[in-house]
C-alpha cells in the first residue's frame, strides 16, 4: 500500500505514458504472457505427453522453442541465486571455503546424465502423475550445466577486489553489507554478465540430454527443441536438424538483443578507471527503457528502496568476550577438520558400498578409461587457451566489435554437439578414421567458450587509464602482452580454464558416443562408459563412472588449477 501511495503522488507528467512506454510495455507484457502460458502447460497430467508425442513438423518449433527458453531462464535464475549464496560464502568465510570449493569441484565434474540418473525419479515421485515433476527434472539438469562457472566467476571477483578501493571503503567506515553491495557486487557484475551468457549457451549444449530423458526403462520426452533434435537424429532427418538450427539461431538472437546486450551495456558503468572508454557498448532496448516515463515512474520507488537497502549498516555487535587464545583456535580448527574428515570417510564408505559388487579388474579398467579422457581434456584445454586468450583480449578491448561477435559467440557456444553427429559419423566411417582421435574435437565445442567469455569479461573491465598509459609510454608488441594485458586478464583466464576443464569432462559423455540413425561410434573413455551404462540403467556402474570422473577432476584441480587460481588472485590482484 505504501508503494501505491508513493506512485499516486508522482507528478502527472511522469505518470502520463509516452510512445516509448507502449513499445516497452508490449515487450514486458509479452514476456509475462509467455511465462504464464508455459507455466500452465507444466501442470497438465503426465499422460498428456504420451498422447501428444514429439513431432518433426516445423510448425511446432515456436512452441518448443518457447518452452525450452523458459526452462533455461528458470535454471539461470536459480543459478544466479546459488552463485550469490555459495560463491559469496566461499569468498568470505575461510572454513566454508575449505568445504565449498572442493565440493564445487566435485559437483562440476558430475556429468548431466549422472544428475538425471539419480534425480529424475525423485522429481517424478514428488509430483506423481504431473508433468511438473519431469519439468523440474529438466530444469535441474539445465541448472547443473549453468551454475558452476557463474559461481566461480563471482567467487573470483570477490577475491580480487582492488585493494585501494577496499581500503577506501573501510576508511569511510562502510559496513560489510555496504561494501558488498556498493563495491564488491559492482566489481563482479561485468564478469558475471558474460558468464550468464555462457551459462545460457551451456544449457543449449546439454538441452538434448535434459529434455529427452532416457534412464533405463524410463523415457520422457518433454516438448522442446532438445527433444526435437533427439528425434531428428534418431530418424536421420537432416531437414529437421536444419529447422532446429534455425529456431535456435532466432531464439538466441532475440534474447541476446532483449536481455544480454542491455545487461552488457548497463554493466559498462562499473568499469574501473577515471577515464571513459573511447568506445562504449550500446543497446537499443536499454535506450528504449531509459526514454519511458510511465515504466520509469513505476520503477523509481523500487530503485530507491533497493538503494536504501544497500546502505543498511547491519552491524551485529557481539558481546564483549575475551579474545580466544591460539590454543583454543587450534582446537576449534582440529574439531572442524575432524568432522570434515569423518564426513569424507562416510562418503567414501557409501561410495564403496555402491560399487563393491563390481570386480576389481573392471574398476582398474574404468580408471584406465579415465586416463584416456584426461589426455583428451588436457590437450583440448591447452589448445583452447592458446587460441582464445589473445582473441578474447582483442574483442574485449573493442566494445563495438564485441557487439557484433556477441550473438555469434553465443550461437556457437550453444551449438549442441549432437547436431554435428551426421558429419562426424559420415566423415569418420567414409574416411575410415580413428574414432578415439577424431571424436575428440566434439568435446571442445562446449568447453572452449568458457575461456573466451571469461577473457572478454576480463579485458572489458581493464581500466582505460592503464590502456592509455601503455599507449603513452609506447609499450607495444610482446612487451604489451607480457606486462599489461596478460597480467590484467589472467585471473579471468584461469577462471575460464577451470570451468572449461569441468565442461570438457562433462562434454565427454556426449562426444565419446556418437549416433546417427543405427550407426554408432564409440571412443574409449570415461564419458562413453557412463553413457552406455546410463542407457542400460546399470546404477552401480553409473556411480562407478561418476566417482572415477570426480576423482580425476578433483585431484587435478587440487594439484594444478587451485594453486594457479590462488596464485593469480594474489599476484595479479588490482592494487
Amino acid at each position: 500500500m505504501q508503494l501505491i501511495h508513493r506512485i499516486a503522488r508522482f507528478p502527472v507528467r511522469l505518470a502520463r505514458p509516452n510512445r516509448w512506454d507502449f513499445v516497452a510495455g508490449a515487450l514486458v507484457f509479452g514476456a509475462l504472457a509467455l511465462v504464464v502460458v508455459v507455466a500452465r502447460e507444466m501442470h497438465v497430467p503426465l499422460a498428456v505427453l504420451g498422447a501428444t508425442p514429439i513431432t518433426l513438423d516445423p510448425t511446432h518449433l515456436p512452441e518448443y522453442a518457447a518452452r525450452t527458453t523458459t526452462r533455461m531462464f528458470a535454471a539461470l535464475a536459480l543459478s544466479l541465486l546459488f552463485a550469490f549464496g555459495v560463491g559469496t560464502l566461499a569468498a568470505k568465510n575461510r572454513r566454508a571455503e575449505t568445504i565449498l570449493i572442493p565440493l564445487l569441484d566435485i559437483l562440476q565434474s558430475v556429468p548431466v546424465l549422472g544428475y538425471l540418473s539419480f534425480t529424475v525419479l525423485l522429481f517424478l515421485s514428488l509430483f506423481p502423475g504431473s508433468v511438473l515433476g519431469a519439468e523440474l527434472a529438466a530444469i535441474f539438469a539445465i541448472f547443473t550445466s549453468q551454475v558452476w562457472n557463474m559461481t566461480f566467476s563471482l567467487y573470483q571477483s570477490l577475491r580480487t577486489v582492488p585493494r585501494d578501493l577496499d581500503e577506501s571503503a573501510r576508511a569511510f567506515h562502510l559496513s560489510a553489507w555496504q561494501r558488498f553491495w556498493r563495491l564488491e557486487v559492482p566489481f563482479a557484475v561485468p564478469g558475471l554478465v558474460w558468464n550468464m551468457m555462457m551459462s545460457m549457451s551451456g544449457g543449449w549444449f546439454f538441452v538434448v540430454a535434459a529434455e529427452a530423458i532416457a534412464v533405463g526403462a524410463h523415457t520422457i520426452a518433454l516438448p522442446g527443441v532438445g527433444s526435437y533434435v533427439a528425434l531428428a537424429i534418431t530418424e536421420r532427418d537432416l531437414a529437421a536438424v536444419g529447422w532446429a538450427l534455425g529456431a535456435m539461431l532466432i531464439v538466441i538472437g532475440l534474447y541476446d538483443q532483449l536481455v544480454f546486450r542491455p545487461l552488457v551495456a548497463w554493466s559498462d558503468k562499473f568499469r574501473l578507471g577515471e577515464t571513459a572508454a573511447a568506445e562504449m557498448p550500446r543497446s537499443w532496448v536499454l535506450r528504449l527503457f531509459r526514454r519511458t516515463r510511465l515504466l520509469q515512474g513505476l520503477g523509481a520507488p523500487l530503485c530507491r528502496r533497493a538503494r536504501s537497502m544497500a546502505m543498511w549498516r547491519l552491524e551485529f555487535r557481539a558481546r564483549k568476550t575475551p579474545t580466544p587464545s591460539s590454543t583454543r583456535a587450534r582446537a576449534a580448527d582440529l574439531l572442524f577438520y575432524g568432522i570434515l574428515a569423518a564426513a569424507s570417510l562416510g562418503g567414501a564408505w557409501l561410495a564403496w558400498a555402491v560399487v563393491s559388487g563390481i570386480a576389481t579388474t573392471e574398476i582398474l579398467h574404468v580408471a584406465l578409461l579415465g586416463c584416456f579422457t584426461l589426455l583428451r581434456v588436457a590437450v583440448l584445454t591447452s589448445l583452447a587457451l592458446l587460441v582464445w586468450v589473445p582473441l578474447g583480449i582483442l574483442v574485449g578491448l573493442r566494445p563495438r566489435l564485441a557487439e557484433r561477435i556477441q550473438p555469434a559467440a553465443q550461437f556457437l557456444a550453444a551449438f549442441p554437439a549432437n547436431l554435428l553427429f551426421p558429419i562426424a559419423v559420415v566423415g569418420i566411417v567414409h574416411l575410415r578414421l580413428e574414432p578415439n582421435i577424431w571424436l575428440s574435437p566434439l568435446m571442445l565445442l562446449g568447453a572452449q567458450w568458457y575461456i573466451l567469455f571469461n577473457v572478454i569479461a576480463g579485458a572489458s573491465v581493464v581500466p582505460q587509464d592503464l590502456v592509455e598509459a601503455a599507449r603513452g609510454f609506447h609499450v607495444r608488441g610482446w612487451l604489451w602482452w607480457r606486462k599489461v594485458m596478460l597480467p590484467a586478464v589472467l585471473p579471468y583466464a584461469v577462471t575460464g580454464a577451470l570451468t572449461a576443464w569441468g565442461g570438457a569432462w562433462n562434454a565427454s559423455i556426449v562426444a565419446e558416443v556418437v549416433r546417427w540413425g543405427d550407426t554408432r561410434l564409440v571412443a574409449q573413455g570415461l564419458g562413453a562408459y557412463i553413457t552406455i551404462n546410463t542407457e542400460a540403467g546399470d546404477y552401480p556402474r553409473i556411480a562407478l563412472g561418476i566417482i572415477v570422473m570426480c576423482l580425476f577432476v578433483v585431484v587435478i584441480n587440487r594439484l594444478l588449477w587451485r594453486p594457479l587460481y590462488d596464485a593469480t588472485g594474489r599476484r595479479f590482484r588490482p592494487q
Side-chain angles (χ1 to χ4, degrees):
M1 293 299 295
Q2 185 179 5
L3 178 60
I4 295 176
H5 290 311
R6 289 187 179 184
I7 294 174
R9 290 199 300 268
F10 283 163
V12 176
R13 63 183 180 86
L14 289 179
R16 184 181 300 120
N18 58 15
R19 57 180 177 174
W20 308 110
D21 279 298
F22 292 104
V23 181
L27 293 176
V28 172
F29 285 111
L32 292 176
L34 175 64
V35 172
V36 170
V37 171
V38 173
R40 185 177 58 190
E41 295 294 327
M42 291 183 178
H43 289 82
V44 299
L46 192 59
V48 173
L49 294 182
T52 56
I54 303 298
T55 174
L56 293 182
D57 184 354
T59 59
H60 288 84
L61 270 175
E63 176 194 352
Y64 294 164
R67 297 190 67 166
T68 295
T69 306
T70 305
R71 293 183 192 111
M72 294 176 66
F73 272 103
L76 188 70
L78 293 175
S79 300
L80 193 61
L81 292 175
F82 184 93
F84 268 91
V86 176
T88 302
L89 185 60
K92 297 291 185 181
N93 188 284
R94 178 178 62 87
R95 287 176 177 164
E97 181 184 26
T98 305
I99 299 175
L100 291 177
I101 295 303
L103 185 60
L104 288 175
D105 290 338
I106 295 173
L107 294 175
Q108 180 188 215
S109 63
V110 177
V112 172
L113 283 181
Y115 286 110
L116 281 174
S117 302
F118 296 99
T119 59
V120 62
L121 296 179
L122 171 64
F123 284 109
L124 289 176
S125 63
L126 290 176
F127 301 93
S130 175
V131 174
L132 184 59
E135 291 282 356
L136 291 178
I139 291 173
F140 181 76
I142 298 171
F143 163 83
T144 61
S145 67
Q146 293 181 342
V147 66
W148 316 121
N149 60 300
M150 292 172 58
T151 305
F152 279 117
S153 172
L154 184 63
Y155 169 76
Q156 175 259 328
S157 297
L158 296 179
R159 292 272 312 266
T160 57
V161 173
R163 291 190 181 91
D164 56 347
L165 295 180
D166 184 66
E167 291 172 358
S168 298
R170 294 177 185 275
F172 283 106
H173 303 289
L174 296 183
S175 66
W177 175 265
Q178 293 170 335
R179 290 198 305 273
F180 180 72
W181 289 110
R182 306 297 292 181
L183 171 61
E184 295 167 351
V185 170
F187 177 75
V189 161
L192 191 58
V193 168
W194 280 93
N195 274 279
M196 288 170 64
M197 283 190 281
M198 181 61 237
S199 291
M200 281 294 290
S201 299
W204 281 105
F205 190 84
F206 290 103
V207 75
V208 175
E211 292 182 348
I213 305 171
V215 182
H218 300 276
T219 302
I220 300 173
L222 292 171
V225 177
S227 299
Y228 186 93
V229 170
L231 183 60
I233 292 172
T234 302
E235 298 189 1
R236 291 193 176 193
D237 193 332
L238 289 175
V241 171
W243 283 113
L245 279 177
M248 286 179 56
L249 182 61
I250 292 172
V251 170
I252 292 171
L254 284 174
Y255 70 61
D256 173 70
Q257 290 290 324
L258 299 177
V259 179
F260 289 119
R261 187 160 296 185
L263 285 175
V264 171
W266 169 76
S267 66
D268 186 68
K269 68 180 182 180
F270 301 118
R271 177 192 292 267
L272 295 178
E274 300 178 357
T275 305
E279 297 181 359
M280 299 179 65
R282 301 168 299 179
S283 168
W284 64 269
V285 173
L286 188 61
R287 291 199 303 271
L288 170 66
F289 277 88
R290 284 174 174 171
R291 290 175 178 176
T292 60
R293 288 180 183 171
L294 179 61
L295 291 181
Q296 287 218 36
L298 293 173
L302 298 177
C303 293
R304 287 197 297 269
R305 176 62 63 182
R307 284 194 290 268
S308 65
M309 290 174 62
M311 292 306 295
W312 288 351
R313 296 206 61 85
L314 292 183
E315 291 181 343
F316 301 101
R317 296 185 179 180
R319 292 177 299 175
K320 294 183 178 181
T321 56
T323 304
S325 64
S326 58
T327 303
R328 291 178 59 187
R330 284 196 297 268
D333 285 340
L334 287 175
L335 178 61
F336 171 77
Y337 289 115
I339 295 173
L340 185 60
S344 301
L345 290 175
W349 177 84
L350 181 62
W352 176 251
V354 174
V355 304
S356 58
I358 301 175
T360 305
T361 54
E362 183 173 352
I363 294 176
L364 295 176
H365 175 67
V366 173
L368 179 61
L369 294 178
C371 293
F372 293 151
T373 302
L374 172 64
L375 179 62
R376 295 189 185 100
V377 171
V379 171
L380 293 173
T381 304
S382 301
L383 291 175
L385 282 169
L386 291 175
V387 172
W388 293 117
V389 168
L391 290 180
I393 290 174
L394 295 177
V395 172
L397 291 177
R398 296 166 174 81
R400 300 291 171 81
L401 178 61
E403 286 181 14
R404 293 191 289 269
I405 290 179
Q406 182 177 319
Q410 288 187 73
F411 177 73
L412 293 174
F415 196 94
N418 311 67
L419 298 184
L420 287 181
F421 286 0
I423 300 174
V425 171
V426 172
I428 292 173
V429 172
H430 180 71
L431 299 176
R432 298 181 180 179
L433 301 175
E434 174 57 51
N436 287 307
I437 297 176
W438 294 100
L439 288 180
S440 300
L442 294 177
M443 297 170 60
L444 197 59
L445 287 177
Q448 60 186 339
W449 308 107
Y450 292 100
I451 298 172
L452 175 63
F453 279 69
N454 275 279
V455 173
I456 291 177
S460 66
V461 297
V462 171
Q464 191 66 21
D465 303 348
L466 178 63
V467 176
E468 292 187 359
R471 187 183 299 117
F473 284 105
H474 304 287
V475 179
R476 300 187 181 92
W478 173 240
L479 183 64
W480 181 81
W481 286 97
R482 186 167 59 91
K483 292 295 187 180
V484 180
M485 290 312 303
L486 287 179
V489 304
L490 192 57
Y492 293 86
V494 173
T495 300
L498 178 64
T499 51
W501 179 264
W505 280 96
N506 248 303
S508 67
I509 67 173
V510 177
E512 291 182 348
V513 178
V514 175
R515 291 180 182 79
W516 178 238
D518 297 329
T519 305
R520 185 173 80 162
L521 298 177
V522 178
Q524 286 189 322
L526 196 52
Y529 181 86
I530 294 173
T531 302
I532 292 171
N533 285 288
T534 299
E535 294 169 352
D538 192 335
Y539 289 98
R541 285 175 172 79
I542 295 173
L544 174 62
I546 293 173
I547 290 169
V548 173
M549 183 174 286
C550 291
L551 288 175
F552 269 95
V553 174
V554 170
V555 168
I556 299 299
N557 282 1
R558 291 290 98 189
L559 296 179
L560 174 63
W561 293 115
R562 189 55 52 193
L564 186 60
Y565 197 90
D566 294 337
T568 54
R570 290 192 305 268
R571 183 174 179 182
F572 300 106
R573 181 180 180 180
Q575 300 298 320

